[in-house]
Amino acid sequence: MADETRTQVADDAEGARPTVHVAGRWLHAASGAVREIIDPADALPFAVVAEGDEKDADLAVAAARRAFDKGPWPRTPVAERAALLRRVAGLLGRDRERIGLLESRDAGKTLEEGRVDVDCVADAFRYFADLVAAEAPGRVVDAGSPTVHSVVVHEPVGVCAMITPWNYPLLQASWKIAPALAAGNTFVVKPSEITPLTTVALVELLLEAGLPEGVANLVTGPGRTVGARLADHPDVDLVSFTGGLASGTEVARAAAATVKKVALELGGKNPNVVFADACATDEGFDTAVDQALNAAFLHSGQVCSAGGRLIVEESLRERFVTELARRAERIRLGRGTEDGVECGPMVSGQQREKTERHVADALAEGAVLRCGGKRPAPTAVRPEAGYFYEPTVLDHCHRAMRVVREEVFGPVLTVETFRTEDEAVALANDTEYGLAGAVWTADAGRARRVAGRLRHGTVWINDFHPYLPQAEWGGFGRSGTGRELGPAGLAEYRETKHVYQNLAPAPVRWFAG
Ligand code: TXE
């Protein structure tokens, strides 16, 4: 399996691919610069893409502007837009294996995770197609007069810039592209410079589905040049960003100069609160431990909603953490395409070093290492050069520690304890973020009480990680602004217009003359 993967993608690496897409044409970067794309499982390049800069961003924005102001897409009937989105979903299904494999190779996730991502993305395209197709064309408002016809309609925002990260490249681009297209916008997408390949594949599918020229534009390249230019470009009407807090803050600052609409998804520091009553039975205990593992270590913890903060009732701690560490040690690391591998490498050396610094600081501040805390020994499927890091459990943590306050974005679980429900809620809310959190309890009343008090955009009760295309996703606090998915995820890409029609115009005589 691994060898097939290697050959297929290696073909692409023979020369730089023209991965900048502007006004219906695939181009090399205007400067001619290229970038090697690294396989995080062995730290070797396996593809070469165009390294765009501000000039490519300007060309892409100009194309998107023309397509919005003069092209057919914003004026295309909703039913036709919905049909195109459904065709894209169908093409994703057709190419599930190819794109799933590309995502696995590029982002370092397992092949199965790559496939699931493609399925989720197809669902999102179908969801937004159904949502717009079912809508009434406008909301008639009672103006209190038979001679006034008043209606509120929704229109596309215009040119949308989308800046996406490396952990879920296809999924995060699609959560922006699907609603933006459903609403009739044109766009320029800039994927993370280290994982651009499935975004290129997605744009190819949009074109195959029949999207008119200039609606979808893509610039591969760095955040500090391409991303920054998109955020401050005067012809961009909206910027939607998913990534880290520091870069998101810069994007918001740059966008403010031209009063763009801004949507930000900036990650989280997500609590997983476990009450002892959830583990009263062996089955309950097994489920809560299993899900705590999944919450923290899926995709090496490089998930914005990763449950990296375990907040467990004091009486349960020793039993829970002992079992958790035992099972974390058995997680099979390796290249995501190898059979039996449960967790791939981290995405980059930089991300692994950030994780290592966090663990070192935590240990210096008094955390107790229960497992992991180091790079694994190399094996055949886990070469020395890959960016692997062992799933790590840090016990006896507290809020003053940097590892508990800041997003690690690596396979690190911290353990804190509580004695009362109030204490559990206070700990879970004691974060500047507010993206997601979970509560585990067998007491239905407590579940609802705690869920009601958590200041997070998604709260799971006796579960962790699931999301639905029809339910909004986004954060409180510094996890960001705006929402993706659900009706609010579509509303982000729309302007609201009130059209007031006087059917019997007459002078108002406000001024005597
Ligand atoms: O992300 P960046 P990085 C968090 C996570 C991680 C940290 C840093 O904690 O350790 O962020 O990761 C583009 N103007 N998340 O540095 O820089 C960049 O090119 C415009 C959380 O890799 O935020 C990429 O396309 N764009 C997260 C995108 O921003 C800029 C997912 C994200 O990269 C830019 C990833 C600028 N000035 C990391 N600077 C989540 N919310 O899921 C960078 N970019």
Side-chain angles (χ1 to χ4, degrees):
M1 167 84 59
D3 287 341
E4 282 167 30
T5 322
R6 198 169 279 281
T7 315
Q8 181 195 327
V9 195
D11 286 344
D12 296 337
E14 281 169 12
R17 295 179 65 192
T19 52
V20 170
H21 187 76
V22 174
R25 292 172 59 215
W26 287 102
L27 306 167
H28 293 284
S31 70
V34 298
R35 172 188 289 261
E36 287 182 335
I37 301 302
I38 305 298
D39 181 341
D42 56 19
L44 294 173
F46 72 103
V48 184
V49 300
E51 177 86 328
D53 61 20
E54 292 90 340
K55 185 155 184 221
D56 303 282
D58 284 349
L59 291 170
V61 171
R65 187 78 262 164
R66 269 195 311 279
F68 186 79
D69 293 341
K70 304 204 172 91
W73 187 248
R75 288 153 282 278
T76 297
V78 165
E80 281 178 42
R81 292 209 297 260
L84 184 132
L85 263 60
R86 290 196 189 99
R87 285 200 293 281
V88 174
L91 293 172
L92 283 161
R94 182 196 70 188
D95 291 353
R96 179 178 192 255
E97 235 11 62
R98 178 179 70 88
I99 298 177
L101 186 58
L102 211 51
E103 194 76 321
S104 160
R105 194 81 193 278
D106 206 1
K109 51 183 70 185
T110 64
L111 178 55
E112 190 51 26
E113 285 175 67
R115 291 178 181 130
V116 170
D117 285 2
V118 178
D119 294 342
C120 292
V121 162
D123 285 348
F125 272 92
R126 276 188 215 99
Y127 168 71
F128 283 111
D130 292 348
L131 187 64
V132 284
E135 274 180 336
R139 190 177 91 244
V140 176
V141 176
D142 181 358
S145 160
T147 60
V148 172
H149 179 70
S150 189
V151 61
V152 174
V153 295
H154 297 292
E155 296 185 356
V157 169
V159 174
C160 302
M162 301 158 177
I163 301 171
T164 57
W166 42 260
N167 56 336
Y168 285 84
L170 179 70
L171 187 130
Q172 278 150 336
S174 301
W175 286 11
K176 302 180 193 306
I177 289 173
L181 290 179
N185 297 281
T186 63
F187 71 84
V188 180
V189 61
K190 190 211 86 67
S192 165
E193 52 273 43
I194 59 174
T195 57
L197 301 179
T198 51
T199 307
V200 175
L202 179 61
V203 169
E204 286 169 350
L205 294 190
L206 295 176
L207 303 175
E208 186 180 345
L211 195 66
E213 190 178 296
V215 177
N217 302 277
L218 160 70
V219 183
T220 48
R224 72 192 140 69
T225 55
V226 181
R229 182 61 183 142
L230 293 177
D232 80 3
H233 200 298
D235 281 342
V236 169
D237 300 295
L238 171 150
V239 58
S240 177
F241 172 91
T242 303
L245 183 55
S247 306
T249 309
E250 280 184 45
V251 165
R253 197 176 291 123
T258 48
V259 198
K260 290 181 180 51
K261 292 182 182 304
V262 178
L264 304 170
E265 206 274 66
L266 306 178
K269 192 69 200 175
N270 313 290
N272 187 18
V273 178
V274 182
F275 284 89
D277 63 20
C279 298
T281 63
D282 287 347
E283 205 184 353
F285 178 73
D286 177 56
T287 302
V289 171
D290 172 83
Q291 293 248 10
L293 274 181
N294 192 43
F297 300 125
L298 179 74
H299 194 20
S300 293
Q302 300 167 121
V303 182
C304 52
S305 54
R309 272 183 87 192
L310 175 68
I311 299 175
V312 60
E313 194 162 346
E314 177 62 45
S315 60
L316 180 67
R317 192 194 70 208
E318 193 48 43
R319 181 172 167 232
F320 199 90
V321 176
T322 301
E323 178 62 4
L324 192 68
R326 188 184 72 78
R327 289 170 65 172
E329 274 178 337
R330 291 167 48 183
I331 292 175
R332 287 192 293 272
L333 301 180
R335 180 184 289 282
T337 48
E338 291 291 338
D339 284 341
V341 162
E342 296 174 315
C343 190
M346 300 193 65
V347 76
S348 65
Q350 202 183 355
Q351 199 59 32
R352 181 170 63 175
E353 282 155 26
K354 178 183 170 194
T355 301
E356 288 174 329
R357 281 195 299 276
H358 267 295
V359 172
D361 287 358
L363 295 176
E365 288 176 284
V368 174
L369 185 69
R370 297 289 292 253
C371 69
K374 62 182 189 318
R375 302 178 184 190
T379 66
V381 290
R382 213 173 48 215
E384 193 170 11
Y387 306 125
F388 294 95
Y389 193 75
E390 288 185 359
T392 299
V393 176
L394 295 172
D395 201 356
H396 295 282
C397 293
H398 55 79
R399 272 293 292 149
M401 293 176 173
R402 198 168 73 84
V403 73
V404 178
R405 290 194 320 273
E406 294 178 16
E407 192 176 48
V408 177
F409 236 62
V412 176
L413 178 75
T414 60
V415 182
E416 297 157 86
T417 58
F418 66 88
R419 287 202 170 79
T420 66
E421 189 175 307
D422 280 349
E423 217 183 314
V425 170
L427 277 173
N429 284 339
D430 190 5
T431 167
E432 63 184 19
Y433 289 102
L435 186 61
V439 52
W440 290 82
T441 175
D443 177 338
R446 167 181 277 162
R448 278 194 296 275
R449 273 195 312 275
V450 173
R453 294 173 69 191
L454 290 183
R455 299 279 301 159
H456 296 268
T458 294
V459 176
W460 294 291
I461 298 173
N462 297 335
D463 213 321
F464 209 102
H465 275 325
Y467 68 88
L468 304 169
Q470 57 273 33
E472 278 75 2
W473 178 263
F476 288 26
R478 293 193 189 170
S479 285
T481 59
R483 290 293 180 271
E484 300 199 291
L485 302 179
L490 178 64
E492 292 284 345
Y493 293 92
R494 283 177 157 168
E495 289 283 13
T496 301
K497 181 187 279 180
H498 175 201
V499 181
Y500 178 108
Q501 183 178 13
N502 189 342
L503 303 170
V508 288
R509 302 291 180 218
W510 185 268
F511 299 109

